[in-house]
Amino acid sequence: MNLNIGMSIFGAIFIYVVVCVIMYFQTSHIVRYEVQEGSLAADTIYRGIVLRDETVVCAESAGYVNYYAWEGSRVAQNDLVYVVDETGRLNEELESMYLGENSLTDEELAEFRNEIVNFVHGFTPVNYDVTYDFKYSLKNTVLRLAGANMLQSIGDVNGTGAGIVNSFRAPVTGIVAYWTDGYEALSAQDVTAEILDEKEYEKKRMINNTLVESGEAVYKLSTNEDWSIVIPVDPDRGLELQEAGTVKVRFLKNQYESWGTTKLLTNADGNTYIQLTFTNSMITFISERFLDVELIVEDEKGLKIPVSSIVQKEFFLIPEEYVIPGGANGGDSIVRQCYLEDGTISSEIVEIEVYYFDSESKEYYLDSSMLASGENLYKPDSEETFTVSKRATLIGVYNMNKGYADFKQITILYENDEYAIVKPNTKYGLNVYDYIVLNAESVRDDQFINQK
């Protein structure tokens, strides 16, 4: 191999490039982030259990039950709810009788459309069982529309002597529902994680023209417009909601919104729950035991920064009376004790940078690199001294507007795993459009930063 000056230069350049590439990958790179205004919303979607004042009504005689009142309708005391055919021949007679052709009005068609739209909007494959609720709901709507003809036909059947058909009326005023699940007497204090686990949950539907025995549940009445949802929450969020007193709730099934009164619960399983009590919309969810809801809380708004940019730094705490506001260059200053060459005690004015002022304790946070523990400070126009020793930490970020890592204190309003919202327009903090170091661990205090 013949070596010449060209090969030597090429080899030197090649080695230099290799070294630069290695150093590039071994060096932590400083990435800047532009501070912007923004907001963060907490995860506020929950699934809870619905509690109502429910009274289960049992059949007084055996036979085939045919319902007249539709699910979700309000019945007064002594209103007709269902009839019982003791022989089972009612349906045969009704089918053999001419009931005439019936066409649906625009209002009746609108009811079907609303039910279909609500189902489609709230359906998820995970909760496929709600399809059966939708099916029975449509059947009940059809039953209501045919109710008047059915009553007339029942009178005609009784007149023919084809069988015995008994009518049964509501014992009290309430909203009719044709299902049971064993949770009718459940209280908010009885709710546990096991109850909220729907794997073992079973809803029993009352179906029209089925055989029932005497004493068997045939329907139930919700006797109070007040109802509630119990949702599991973490203790901190529970305390926040309890202190709020009321919270705006959006029901994901139909996007309706309502205000609920909050009550904090710690139940037998040791978990924390919030009971949301409402005074309306109970009829809308009469066929639901579990509901998905979103708590509409105010989003925290301010300056949005990455969590990776946040760092803690230690400072000396200096009483307010030992800091002179406004110096020769517009900054603050202190009077520090010093020693002359001959050993005599004297004083000097030192300009300092204030990082925060605590209005409660009346103390300034000064950079520990400017002072040393054990140093004495003089109170202006006084012989009183203060010995530097007390320390505390601040949470902040490294501002890089001036070309070096300049610590700025922040007040965090809210944060999640990725971002934090900090208070804007603070005296010693950040402003919108400031540049900060994205990864606080990649720099040191006062490190010069190449922003190219």
Side-chain angles (χ1 to χ4, degrees), residues 145-156:
L145 298 177
N149 286 332
M150 185 184 77
L151 281 182
Q152 178 62 40
S153 301
I154 287 174
D156 296 339

Side-chain angles (χ1 to χ4, degrees), residues 13-252:
I13 294 174
F14 177 78
I15 294 172
Y16 174 76
V17 171
V18 171
V19 171
C20 289
V21 170
I22 294 174
M23 291 178 63
Y24 176 84
F25 284 105
Q26 289 183 341
T27 303
S28 59
H29 303 287
I30 300 172
V31 181
R32 70 181 185 178
Y33 175 87
E34 185 179 24
V35 177
Q36 298 284 348
E37 292 181 332
S39 63
L40 284 180
D43 184 9
T44 57
I45 295 178
Y46 301 90
R47 186 167 179 83
I49 188 168
V50 177
L51 304 179
R52 315 175 188 85
D53 291 335
E54 298 172 308
T55 301
V56 177
V57 180
C58 298
E60 297 180 22
S61 63
Y64 291 86
V65 63
N66 286 271
Y67 296 108
Y68 170 69
W70 67 96
E71 188 167 62
S73 65
R74 176 182 294 279
V75 294
Q77 187 176 5
N78 293 323
D79 277 357
L80 179 64
V81 179
Y82 71 101
V83 296
V84 172
D85 173 21
E86 294 185 3
T87 64
R89 296 180 58 187
L90 175 61
N91 272 3
E92 296 177 6
E93 295 295 333
L94 290 178
E95 290 175 0
S96 66
M97 298 179 66
Y98 176 74
L99 299 181
E101 294 184 2
N102 293 303
S103 60
L104 297 177
T105 65
D106 291 340
E107 292 181 358
E108 292 169 341
L109 286 172
E111 289 188 34
F112 280 104
R113 282 196 294 267
N114 288 338
E115 288 195 51
I116 294 171
V117 169
N118 287 339
F119 168 73
V120 172
H121 185 81
F123 175 77
T124 57
V126 176
N127 298 319
Y128 182 78
D129 58 321
V130 299
T131 307
Y132 299 100
D133 293 336
F134 173 62
K135 170 185 174 182
Y136 294 126
S137 178
L138 287 181
K139 282 187 175 181
N140 283 329
T141 302
V142 174
L143 176 63
R144 178 181 66 80
L145 298 177
N149 286 332
M150 185 184 77
L151 281 182
Q152 178 62 40
S153 301
I154 287 174
D156 296 339
V157 170
N158 274 336
T160 63
I164 300 176
V165 179
N166 297 317
S167 301
F168 295 94
R169 301 179 180 276
V172 293
T173 300
I175 311 300
V176 177
Y178 295 121
W179 58 275
T180 58
D181 58 3
Y183 291 157
E184 284 74 21
L186 187 71
S187 68
Q189 290 75 18
D190 296 330
V191 175
T192 61
E194 184 178 358
I195 289 176
L196 292 175
D197 186 357
E198 299 176 54
K199 292 180 180 178
E200 303 298 327
Y201 176 73
E202 183 178 356
K203 178 189 287 188
K204 181 182 179 182
R205 272 282 180 182
M206 288 84 167
I207 302 174
N208 202 44
N209 195 36
T210 56
L211 182 63
V212 298
E213 298 179 358
S214 178
E216 184 178 344
V218 285
Y219 70 98
K220 63 181 178 181
L221 290 171
S222 295
T223 56
N224 196 328
E225 283 288 345
D226 294 345
W227 63 293
S228 64
I229 302 175
V230 178
I231 60 174
V233 294
D234 61 74
D236 291 338
R237 174 51 63 86
L239 287 173
E240 293 175 4
L241 295 173
Q242 173 75 359
E243 292 176 1
T246 59
V247 63
K248 195 174 185 180
V249 178
R250 178 182 293 122
F251 303 101
L252 299 190

Side-chain angles (χ1 to χ4, degrees), residues 117-409:
V117 169
N118 287 339
F119 168 73
V120 172
H121 185 81
F123 175 77
T124 57
V126 176
N127 298 319
Y128 182 78
D129 58 321
V130 299
T131 307
Y132 299 100
D133 293 336
F134 173 62
K135 170 185 174 182
Y136 294 126
S137 178
L138 287 181
K139 282 187 175 181
N140 283 329
T141 302
V142 174
L143 176 63
R144 178 181 66 80
L145 298 177
N149 286 332
M150 185 184 77
L151 281 182
Q152 178 62 40
S153 301
I154 287 174
D156 296 339
V157 170
N158 274 336
T160 63
I164 300 176
V165 179
N166 297 317
S167 301
F168 295 94
R169 301 179 180 276
V172 293
T173 300
I175 311 300
V176 177
Y178 295 121
W179 58 275
T180 58
D181 58 3
Y183 291 157
E184 284 74 21
L186 187 71
S187 68
Q189 290 75 18
D190 296 330
V191 175
T192 61
E194 184 178 358
I195 289 176
L196 292 175
D197 186 357
E198 299 176 54
K199 292 180 180 178
E200 303 298 327
Y201 176 73
E202 183 178 356
K203 178 189 287 188
K204 181 182 179 182
R205 272 282 180 182
M206 288 84 167
I207 302 174
N208 202 44
N209 195 36
T210 56
L211 182 63
V212 298
E213 298 179 358
S214 178
E216 184 178 344
V218 285
Y219 70 98
K220 63 181 178 181
L221 290 171
S222 295
T223 56
N224 196 328
E225 283 288 345
D226 294 345
W227 63 293
S228 64
I229 302 175
V230 178
I231 60 174
V233 294
D234 61 74
D236 291 338
R237 174 51 63 86
L239 287 173
E240 293 175 4
L241 295 173
Q242 173 75 359
E243 292 176 1
T246 59
V247 63
K248 195 174 185 180
V249 178
R250 178 182 293 122
F251 303 101
L252 299 190
K253 180 178 180 180
N254 54 16
Q255 300 301 303
Y256 287 178
E257 295 178 358
S258 183
W259 286 90
T261 304
T262 59
K263 181 181 179 182
L264 185 64
L265 303 170
T266 302
N267 290 351
D269 61 351
N271 294 329
T272 304
Y273 301 89
I274 279 288
Q275 182 181 12
L276 304 170
T277 302
F278 306 91
T279 58
N280 54 33
S281 307
M282 190 270 289
I283 296 177
T284 306
F285 306 106
I286 192 65
S287 62
E288 308 292 337
R289 180 60 73 188
F290 295 93
L291 278 177
D292 293 312
V293 297
E294 179 183 4
L295 305 187
I296 306 175
V297 296
E298 283 193 24
D299 297 342
E300 292 290 356
K301 297 181 180 179
L303 303 179
K304 188 175 182 180
I305 63 172
V307 172
S308 61
S309 66
I310 299 174
V311 67
Q312 286 190 359
K313 184 178 177 181
E314 191 174 57
F315 296 88
F316 282 119
L317 271 62
I318 307 300
E320 178 183 17
E321 56 268 25
Y322 286 87
V323 176
I324 305 172
N329 298 320
D332 302 322
S333 58
I334 56 174
V335 180
R336 182 170 60 185
Q337 188 182 84
C338 65
Y339 293 89
L340 300 178
E341 292 182 0
D342 59 2
T344 59
I345 298 176
S346 183
S347 63
E348 60 179 347
I349 297 177
V350 179
E351 195 163 320
I352 47 92
E353 182 178 359
V354 174
Y355 287 86
Y356 181 66
F357 176 69
D358 191 332
S359 58
E360 293 185 2
S361 64
K362 304 296 183 182
E363 293 175 313
Y364 283 97
Y365 284 69
L366 304 186
D367 194 346
S368 57
S369 64
M370 298 290 298
L371 297 170
S373 182
E375 282 188 324
N376 291 323
L377 305 181
Y378 288 108
K379 181 188 291 188
D381 302 325
S382 173
E383 294 298 323
E384 293 184 36
T385 61
F386 172 80
T387 303
V388 177
S389 62
K390 188 178 180 181
R391 296 173 181 262
T393 58
L394 288 177
I395 297 175
V397 297
Y398 286 118
N399 186 306
M400 51 190 294
N401 291 349
K402 300 176 182 178
Y404 61 92
D406 184 19
F407 182 89
K408 293 293 182 181
Q409 179 268 344

